[in-house]
Amino acid sequence: MAFQGKKLINNPNDVVTEFIEGLVETYQGLQYLDGFPEVKVVLRAEVSGATYDKVAVISGGGSGHEPAQAGYVGEGLLTASICGDVFASPTVDSILAGIRAVTGPMGCLLVVTNYTGDRLNFGLAAEQARSEGYKIETVIVGDDCALPKSQGIAGRRGLAGTILVNKVAGAVAAAGLSLADVASEARRASEVVGTMGVALSVCTLPGQVTSDRLGPGKMELGLGIHGEPGAAVADLQPVDVVVTHVLKQILESNYIPITRGNRVVLMINGLGATPVMELMIAAGKTVPKLQLEFGLLVERVYTGSFMTSLDMKGFSISIMKVDQTLLQHLDASTKAPHWPVDSAGNRPPAKIPVPLPSSRSMKSDELLSRPLQLTEQGHILEVAIEAAANAIINMRDILNDWDSTVGDGDCGSTMYKGATAILDDMKKYYPLNNAAETVNEIGSSVRRAMGGTSGVLYTIFCKAAYAQLKANSDSTVTAKQWAEALEAAIAAVSKYGGASTGYRTLLDALIPALAVLKERLTSGEDSCTSFVLSSEAAVAGAGSTKDMQAQAGRSSYVSAAILATVPDPGAMAAAAWYRAAALAVKDKFHPSFNSSINKSES
């Protein structure tokens, strides 16, 4: 039965911005960046990146999980929270704005929940921030104990245990420790926390119709926090039975390294529409089971609504193994309003939004443009870029055909948009005589024009290559430096996208290409021939994807029999642009290309 959910709101499209306005009116220690509706960032009112002398700790994600994460902004916990729309990852621009606003010389730790959109957008923002000179570390939290461990590259979801990780990171940062120490301690905390949830209803998104898929007398086990179905549906049971099932799933399935005699903290987390009475009943039944049945010493109990799913009825249980150091971090003082200790709620006077900070990048100080006269390197770059883009444009239909079999049918159209934008922008904006800045501008074109996962991945690719090239002081980039930039780009895509060799992605074309390129250059092969031979490896690697079982993206849901009929379109596109660029340079510049490159290497 479908029904229209009742909400005390105005326009459904404004719920996040109006929530932020109410939050900062309620708590005097909080402020927000101007820039609604695109930029939705809550930060500590007293912190400015220009003068802040401690590590900034930033988390965030889709809204609808309040008080997470904005309610945990405060001294001793988060320095800023980046808010996306309801159940949607925040934009790269919002994340960058938050980083720029609060990050000082000590650097910034990003605590990211393990969802593809969050990993990619926070990852791209991290790469951009690094290219601007910020010191950035990232910790991915996946504390879900309901999903099978072999869940492709998606992995375990980030749930309420993320709040405990944030608290640890915030305490270490407040103590003045280095970025490496803050990241290390947060990572250690993320590895010893597990969570599982149960629900009696699905949530109601603002302005949308909701169907109660559970029906009367049913409950869902192991669900996520975005209304997605759980691992199982069962008859409604007494809370004693539910708690026992959840604890066994967390503690007996080897998700986290907890054994008898360990010290733990417990979090009973309401999902949005669970009365305090029911949460306290769950807590009262969970503690003795942990002590008597599992032999654990329960050091702290946190009960309340910490990470919700709008108005979902249900709760989750999080268990974290602690030692004295982690316990001290959890006990450390904080002024974050929704942590259960040291909350403060004096109503502040009306506030004026903090202006959006500007970028540290070169483009904020000088407008890049196409040179009036190209150097030899500039001509080579122009030919390579034009050939690569045209190769993708010519493949639009076949890429869409392949993708209609194994995906959603738009790979060719998405890549076409990026390629045409690159050609248009190169005529006006690309500083072709400067290789590093040209690669950076390609990333900007892709980011603006390409949607979906491909757009984010290629932007990360370009930003990482740019950061590697920028570190070189020579005006002419050598073949070895191009190989190093390709290696850095591949590593970044693998890090934030989660894929590697054999996952049936664009990396199955680029990783073999890199291996051959490095091998040929090391053996003394001339630069142009090395690139052409490596492009042959890219084509062979892309073709081999027909024999692979997908472990990433929408193809991971497609049967092996169907996958075997076509290659991965993303891998084929990567091989096509790489080979087109290599052949174009060989055909037009082979003698001068090798002369220029080899002269720089000597």
Side-chain angles (χ1 to χ4, degrees):
M1 179 181 68
F3 58 91
Q4 181 71 46
K6 296 179 180 179
K7 298 286 185 182
L8 292 171
I9 61 173
N10 295 307
N11 187 329
N13 296 322
D14 298 332
V15 292
V16 180
T17 57
E18 293 184 354
F19 153 72
I20 290 173
E21 289 167 344
L23 185 74
V24 300
E25 286 295 331
T26 303
Y27 300 109
Q28 66 179 15
L30 304 184
Q31 182 58 291
Y32 65 98
L33 291 179
D34 199 3
F36 289 163
E38 291 80 10
V39 174
K40 297 181 276 288
V41 177
V42 177
L43 67 160
R44 287 171 53 185
E46 81 282 10
V47 170
S48 168
T51 58
Y52 193 50
D53 60 353
K54 294 180 180 178
V55 172
V57 179
I58 297 177
S59 192
S63 296
H65 307 303
E66 291 70 34
Q69 299 286 344
Y72 302 110
V73 175
E75 182 180 347
L77 223 158
L78 297 181
T79 320
S81 171
I82 320 299
C83 305
D85 289 326
V86 174
F87 294 172
S89 177
T91 64
V92 173
D93 288 343
S94 289
I95 300 166
L96 271 174
I99 292 172
R100 293 168 181 155
V102 299
T103 304
M106 292 287 284
C108 172
L109 174 68
L110 301 176
V111 181
V112 183
T113 50
N114 189 32
Y115 298 95
T116 300
D118 288 345
R119 288 203 320 267
L120 291 176
N121 286 301
F122 275 89
L124 176 52
E127 292 298 327
Q128 175 65 36
R130 288 192 188 98
S131 74
E132 295 179 16
Y134 293 96
K135 294 190 292 185
I136 307 290
E137 288 281 352
T138 302
V139 171
I140 308 294
V141 182
D143 55 313
D144 187 7
C145 293
L147 294 177
K149 296 177 185 176
S150 56
Q151 193 69 19
I153 64 171
R156 296 162 59 191
R157 299 167 293 197
L159 302 176
T162 309
I163 308 305
L164 297 173
V165 177
N166 285 340
K167 180 62 177 68
V168 169
V172 181
L177 276 69
S178 69
L179 176 58
D181 289 334
V182 176
S184 175
E185 204 67 351
R187 197 167 286 115
R188 183 167 78 96
S190 72
E191 293 168 353
V192 292
V193 62
T195 300
M196 182 174 173
V198 298
L200 308 183
S201 71
V202 296
C203 56
T204 306
L205 274 67
Q208 295 192 22
V209 172
T210 301
S211 174
D212 185 358
R213 65 170 179 262
L214 291 179
K218 297 292 183 179
M219 65 180 182
E220 206 158 37
L221 304 170
L223 72 163
I225 53 173
H226 306 97
E228 61 264 50
V233 175
D235 292 332
L236 183 62
Q237 299 289 330
V239 73
D240 269 344
V241 177
V242 174
V243 166
T244 297
H245 174 82
V246 172
L247 294 183
K248 286 183 177 180
Q249 181 70 12
I250 295 174
L251 298 171
E252 295 183 355
S253 302
N254 296 319
Y255 285 94
I256 48 177
I258 294 180
T259 57
R260 296 184 73 86
N262 286 160
R263 306 163 72 187
V264 299
V265 298
L266 167 68
M267 174 178 281
I268 304 293
N269 170 59
L271 295 177
T274 309
V276 173
M277 175 184 288
E278 295 178 25
L279 296 178
M280 290 300 176
I281 291 172
K285 301 303 179 184
T286 303
V287 173
K289 288 181 184 292
L290 287 173
Q291 294 172 329
L292 299 177
E293 296 181 22
F294 295 92
L296 301 174
L297 177 60
V298 181
E299 295 277 12
R300 303 287 186 275
V301 180
Y302 309 108
T303 301
S305 293
F306 299 93
M307 180 179 279
T308 65
S309 183
L310 293 171
D311 58 351
M312 185 180 287
K313 295 180 180 178
F315 66 90
S316 64
I317 295 178
S318 298
I319 302 170
M320 175 184 275
K321 177 183 175 181
V322 295
D323 55 19
Q324 192 57 35
T325 301
L326 284 177
L327 200 59
Q328 288 173 352
H329 297 331
L330 292 171
D331 287 344
S333 177
T334 176
K335 293 183 179 178
H338 282 275
W339 183 254
V341 180
D342 290 341
S343 295
N346 296 326
R347 188 185 184 281
K351 297 180 180 178
I352 299 174
V354 175
L356 284 170
S358 61
S359 168
R360 285 186 186 175
S361 68
M362 177 192 300
K363 288 181 69 175
S364 64
D365 300 318
E366 55 184 87
L367 182 64
L368 297 174
S369 61
R370 181 186 174 91
L372 296 177
Q373 186 171 356
L374 295 181
T375 62
E376 186 176 42
Q377 178 176 254
H379 280 297
I380 291 171
L381 271 175
E382 181 181 43
V383 166
I385 293 169
E386 185 174 16
N390 281 325
I392 294 300
I393 289 171
N394 294 334
M395 289 184 71
R396 176 177 60 179
D397 293 340
I398 186 63
L399 289 174
N400 280 340
D401 287 345
W402 287 331
D403 197 38
S404 66
T405 301
V406 297
D408 52 8
D410 67 349
C411 178
S413 298
T414 299
M415 296 290 291
Y416 177 89
K417 291 176 183 176
T420 53
I422 287 169
L423 289 180
D424 290 342
D425 291 348
M426 183 173 67
K427 298 172 185 175
K428 310 174 202 173
Y429 305 123
Y430 289 5
L432 292 164
N433 295 339
N434 186 320
E437 293 299 337
T438 297
V439 170
N440 192 37
E441 287 304 297
I442 293 173
S444 298
S445 300
V446 169
R447 177 176 162 187
R448 171 178 56 80
M450 281 179 67
T453 301
S454 295
V456 177
L457 288 175
Y458 269 108
T459 308
I460 290 174
F461 182 92
C462 291
K463 292 298 180 182
Y466 164 67
Q468 180 66 36
L469 291 171
K470 191 178 178 184
N472 300 316
S473 57
D474 296 336
S475 58
T476 301
V477 180
T478 67
K480 180 175 179 292
Q481 289 167 343
W482 278 116
E484 291 169 349
L486 176 60
E487 187 168 23
I490 289 171
V493 170
S494 180
K495 175 182 177 181
Y496 294 111
S500 60
T501 302
Y503 278 51
R504 194 182 164 100
T505 70
L506 78 165
L507 294 185
D508 289 303
L510 297 178
I511 290 175
L514 174 64
V516 171
L517 179 60
K518 292 170 66 176
E519 176 187 347
R520 292 293 178 170
L521 291 175
T522 301
S523 68
E525 190 81 65
D526 71 79
S527 303
C528 198
T529 302
S530 296
F531 277 103
V532 172
L533 292 174
S534 70
S535 74
E536 294 174 1
V539 172
S544 71
T545 57
K546 286 182 68 173
D547 302 320
M548 297 177 187
Q549 178 61 47
Q551 298 186 59
R554 289 181 173 88
S555 294
S556 61
Y557 306 116
V558 178
S559 71
I562 294 176
L563 291 175
T565 63
V566 296
D568 178 68
M572 295 298 288
W577 64 253
Y578 188 99
R579 180 146 178 83
L583 290 177
V585 172
K586 173 181 177 294
D587 291 343
K588 192 159 188 176
F589 295 105
H590 190 180
S592 61
F593 177 81
N594 285 313
S595 173
S596 172
I597 293 295
N598 292 332
K599 187 187 302 179
S600 301
E601 292 176 336
S602 61

